[in-house]
Amino acid sequence: MWRGAMWAGLLAWAHDDPDVQRQLLLRRAAHRRIRRMLAADHFASLTMPRFVEEICAHGAVLDRTGTRLGPDALGQIAPGALSEMLLRGDLTVVGNQIRSCRPRLDPVCLPGFEGQREERLQRILSRLLHGGDPAATIRAIGEDDLLTPACASVLLAMYEPREWPIWGSEQIAGLRRLAMLVGAGSRWAAAAHSYEEFTDAAHQLKAASGGVLVDMLALDLLLCRLAALRRPRVWKIAVAMGRDHDEAEEIAHRCLEEGFVAIDPDSPDDANISRLRQVAIGDCVLLHLPGRIGAIGRVTRPYYEINRDQGGERWWRRLGVEWIEGDRDYGSLLAGAHQRFSVIDLEWETFWAIARMYRHDPDWDRLFRPLRGAWVLPLEAERLATLAGIDRPLPLRDQFRVELDSEAPEPGDLAFLYREDDHSFAGVARVIGADRPCISGEGARIDVLLEQMVSDGVPLAEIAESDHRIAGWRPSQGARIGRLHAAAAAAVSERMGVEPTRHFVLRTGARDAGSSRPMALFHLGPDASGQRADLLAAARAPGGARCLVYHGPPDNSFSGFARAIDCVGLPEEPSGTIELRLDLRRFTRRPGGFTSYLHAPHGSSEGAGRHDYVRTVLAISAADFYRVIAAGMGPDDAAENHGDPERSIAELAEQIG
């Protein structure tokens, strides 16, 4: 899931940026010097002052006269020339070049320079660098020791950069940002608490880079740059501003096909270039075409330039973007100056008003839904006790009456159940319907699918203590629905074990056998190979794929929904048959037809094939998935009359469960 355009753009950013290349050269020069100093035969002569000077001091680059070169001077030297100057000795690296990039790092305690401390330092270094298990040594280092775990990991990385990553708060923040950007969810949540887990995550990323991240120093630089990224912003970028229709369409087609956006400045110092340089990885982009929006996307690579001969002299200043294509009328949302400038930043309210028109695209959930954050629903102790006493397995449909502000939840949004009595999170739900007036006429009814309940609850204080992303958040009071911004929602999701999901329809020509068994096997035949690989990749992680089961003629209806458990008999040849094991829930009623619930499904024709094969695997959006859930888990006709005060609670309970 994290091998897509966003990951490729991040690697291009890390690999091609001259500033990144210069920093890596300086780090490796420092690595060679420090590795010689830390060699086993040098421990006896290693003094505390030298250790402090070389390891704990900020790094610097000196010329032959001993003059320190600042960032501006280094920026004028091409990476290739810098490498030659370091090899010739024209430039010298002193101190710890890694620390020069992170002045907030507190790598070492060093309470004094007594002889006993030097002996302890030598023993610790010997055990760390030449002992049996460096990760176990880091785990054993305590706060009262001479080194901190962060400093010990720095030493390991400098001693053997191809094997050991640097573990600290900044690297953890960068890994969390990377997980949010590439849709990895809580895949690396444990890396914040264990050096072993962090090392495993680092090696996964190094392997996934395909050789771009040649060692852990390169990975460390990528994570630190990610940690420094600001929160996402929104940009409108108009291509071919002022050009004729055909020319604008041509460049727009190239942008969407090749995954970039480009501007055509009238002069090299055009203000549009300055604004384009401000766009960061993870920012959201609207592709502005004459009279419409042609696509929305997220930036995968910041400002870069290509050879003019490759892209034509007009389209060589670019951003890398992963797009969701589709023409939409923006109405009055881009008035005045928003239309006249090629590059302009927008308010989030404007972006969401436009992006909502793309929410039925399956990629919308991966690229944009995490930026919406999550909702927090108040849960009284009595209601929690009632839910605990229901003798029915999850997932379970339920309703909440809440007070809404200006914005209402949408189908597919994540919601956490929050107990005000003990300030803890007690469950996880998905919104399947919202913004319906309550029976009393006050507030609104939120329909949810309860997917997880935590008997003891997860205290808010416990999450805040170990994760700064939720620090400062306070729940809403009373019956008012609350909001969690994107970073805080990611923190709670990791703690609650919420994994990112992809949504599909399994369309089969077989008549439903009517079995009530929760476990089911579906056979994916050769004619389903178009999107089968994506489904299987998502299904490998438990719960990673959610499926609606649709039966074709003569039923022509959805029979239930399921969580993909595993793939059985995965064939080596693409033409083979695959058994997909599902945890299936049957609907109480049968929603009929694609067109009533799904927006423009692809490949939904009645093609010929064997009846025991699932003929089509369709990727759909969370919004469409939960619209079908809402229709299949209870009749909607009750909602038409729930505002009638004469109707009894017994009647409502009978109709809406």
Side-chain angles (χ1 to χ4, degrees):
M1 189 180 300
W2 39 277
R3 297 173 184 261
M6 187 73 73
W7 176 238
L10 289 169
L11 293 179
W13 175 47
H15 182 70
D16 296 339
D17 190 334
D19 181 57
V20 173
Q21 296 179 26
R22 280 188 288 269
Q23 290 191 43
L24 277 174
L25 287 170
L26 297 177
R27 285 185 175 210
R28 288 167 184 154
H31 149 68
R32 290 190 294 269
R33 175 179 46 77
I34 292 176
R35 195 177 194 280
R36 289 193 297 269
M37 184 185 71
L38 296 177
D41 55 346
H42 289 176
F43 275 2
S45 60
L46 179 62
T47 64
M48 182 68 74
R50 186 177 181 202
F51 179 83
V52 173
E53 179 183 353
E54 297 294 335
I55 302 296
C56 305
H58 291 275
V61 181
L62 309 179
D63 63 15
R64 285 188 177 274
T65 66
T67 303
R68 181 189 297 259
L69 273 65
D72 292 339
L74 286 172
Q76 300 300 317
I77 306 175
L82 180 63
S83 178
E84 294 178 2
M85 295 173 72
L86 289 169
L87 290 174
R88 291 198 308 264
D90 295 336
L91 297 178
T92 303
V93 177
V94 296
N96 188 340
Q97 192 64 31
I98 293 179
R99 281 213 69 196
S100 68
C101 303
R102 300 191 302 281
R104 295 186 303 278
L105 178 66
D106 181 19
V108 67
C109 298
L110 298 178
F113 297 152
E114 305 89 354
Q116 182 183 4
R117 295 290 183 181
E118 290 194 354
E119 294 174 2
R120 285 186 59 200
L121 174 64
Q122 292 169 2
R123 288 198 301 270
I124 293 173
L125 292 180
S126 179
R127 188 168 71 250
L128 178 69
L129 303 178
H130 306 289
D133 187 352
T137 302
I138 288 182
R139 186 172 63 248
I141 292 175
E143 294 182 359
D144 60 340
D145 219 325
L146 197 64
L147 303 178
T148 63
C151 182
S153 69
V154 169
L155 291 172
L156 275 178
M158 298 301 283
Y159 193 78
E160 184 47 72
R162 294 186 180 276
E163 184 175 2
W164 300 107
I166 298 172
W167 185 47
S169 59
E170 196 162 4
Q171 289 81 4
I172 291 170
L175 187 63
R176 285 168 168 165
R177 178 66 65 88
L178 178 63
M180 178 174 285
L181 287 173
V182 302
S186 59
R187 180 188 298 270
W188 303 305
H193 310 291
S194 164
Y195 185 66
E196 290 91 339
E197 293 286 349
F198 187 84
T199 301
D200 289 343
H203 282 285
Q204 290 178 32
L205 294 171
K206 181 174 177 288
S209 75
V212 175
L213 301 176
V214 297
D215 56 30
M216 294 302 171
L217 294 181
L219 173 62
D220 180 71
L221 189 54
L222 171 63
L223 295 181
C224 291
R225 288 170 68 87
L226 287 173
L229 287 178
R230 52 165 172 73
R231 288 188 178 183
R233 293 168 60 181
V234 183
W235 303 86
K236 183 224 75 171
I237 300 180
V239 297
M241 178 68 73
R243 306 289 171 176
D244 61 42
H245 178 271
D246 291 341
E247 190 174 12
E249 293 298 317
E250 178 185 355
I251 184 58
H253 178 74
R254 288 189 56 194
C255 287
L256 297 174
E257 286 291 317
E258 301 176 29
F260 71 91
V261 66
I263 61 172
D264 181 16
D266 295 327
S267 61
D269 60 347
D270 193 286
N272 286 317
I273 301 176
S274 176
R275 286 191 286 269
L276 204 66
R277 291 180 183 272
Q278 298 176 35
V279 182
I281 288 177
D283 283 0
C284 300
V285 177
L286 303 175
L287 182 65
H288 186 196
L289 299 174
R292 70 191 197 278
I293 299 296
I296 63 173
R298 290 198 74 184
V299 175
T300 62
R301 184 178 178 185
Y303 180 87
Y304 68 100
E305 298 178 0
I306 65 169
N307 188 309
R308 295 192 185 199
D309 295 335
Q310 289 180 254
E313 62 178 14
R314 294 175 182 162
W315 316 118
W316 56 285
R317 293 184 171 95
R318 297 183 173 185
L319 301 171
V321 182
E322 184 173 0
W323 295 111
I324 294 179
E325 184 176 356
D327 284 347
R328 300 291 187 274
D329 183 359
Y330 55 72
S332 60
L333 294 171
L334 297 180
H338 288 172
Q339 295 185 23
R340 293 193 298 270
F341 289 98
S342 293
V343 182
I344 192 169
D345 57 335
L346 300 175
E347 299 293 334
W348 276 104
E349 291 78 6
T350 302
F351 172 76
W352 288 122
I354 295 175
R356 194 170 289 115
M357 294 185 280
Y358 294 81
R359 69 184 183 278
H360 297 292
D361 190 291
D363 285 330
W364 194 90
D365 300 300
R366 177 174 56 86
L367 293 175
F368 300 109
R369 190 178 291 279
L371 295 177
R372 284 178 54 84
W375 302 89
V376 179
L377 295 171
L379 182 68
E380 301 84 2
E382 294 80 5
R383 182 165 190 174
L384 178 61
T386 301
L387 290 173
I390 296 178
D391 187 21
R392 290 179 61 188
L394 296 178
L396 182 69
R397 181 170 180 165
D398 200 0
Q399 301 173 6
F400 285 80
R401 298 180 186 177
V402 297
E403 298 177 18
L404 290 175
D405 290 326
S406 57
E407 187 180 7
E410 296 181 354
D413 283 355
L414 185 64
F416 297 105
L417 309 185
Y418 184 80
R419 293 180 55 183
E420 293 184 350
D421 57 336
D422 65 356
H423 305 290
S424 67
F425 293 95
V428 180
R430 290 284 179 177
V431 176
I432 60 178
D435 203 17
R436 297 174 176 174
C438 292
I439 299 175
S440 62
E442 299 177 358
R445 190 184 86 189
I446 307 297
D447 292 337
V448 301
L449 190 68
L450 299 178
E451 297 187 341
Q452 175 185 340
M453 297 299 297
V454 183
S455 57
D456 297 330
V458 179
L460 171 61
E462 178 183 306
I463 302 176
E465 182 179 355
S466 61
D467 200 322
H468 70 279
R469 291 175 294 177
I470 199 173
W473 177 81
R474 295 293 180 271
S476 300
Q477 299 298 315
R480 184 170 297 279
I481 192 172
R483 288 300 303 267
L484 280 171
H485 59 75
V492 180
S493 295
E494 287 183 11
R495 184 61 180 81
M496 302 288 283
V498 178
E499 291 289 344
T501 57
R502 302 182 66 184
H503 301 88
F504 301 87
V505 172
L506 300 183
R507 186 187 179 284
T508 177
R511 182 186 292 272
D512 187 4
S515 172
S516 60
R517 293 181 297 108
M519 300 299 295
L521 286 178
F522 282 81
H523 296 78
L524 278 66
D527 55 348
S529 60
Q531 295 191 45
R532 186 176 64 185
D534 289 341
L535 176 61
L536 296 180
R540 287 184 182 277
R546 305 290 176 88
C547 311
L548 293 171
V549 179
Y550 181 83
H551 293 287
D555 293 349
N556 291 321
S557 64
F558 295 96
S559 65
F561 67 102
R563 179 171 59 96
I565 300 299
D566 197 8
C567 301
V568 181
L570 186 64
E572 296 183 1
E573 296 296 329
S575 60
T577 301
I578 297 172
E579 289 184 338
L580 184 63
R581 192 190 307 274
L582 301 177
D583 180 10
L584 184 62
R585 294 291 183 270
R586 305 284 177 175
F587 284 145
T588 58
R589 57 175 288 183
R590 291 289 187 91
F594 276 96
T595 56
S596 300
Y597 298 98
L598 303 184
H599 290 71
H602 299 287
S604 58
S605 62
E606 293 286 339
R610 292 175 56 183
H611 289 296
D612 57 348
Y613 284 157
V614 172
R615 295 180 180 168
T616 311
V617 182
L618 302 174
I620 62 172
S621 68
D624 288 347
F625 180 87
Y626 286 102
R627 286 177 70 240
V628 177
I629 297 292
M633 293 191 72
D636 276 346
D637 53 353
E640 299 177 3
N641 300 311
H642 67 261
D644 183 357
E646 300 299 323
R647 301 185 67 227
S648 69
I649 296 297
E651 289 176 310
L652 286 171
E654 177 67 24
Q655 294 198 40
I656 65 179

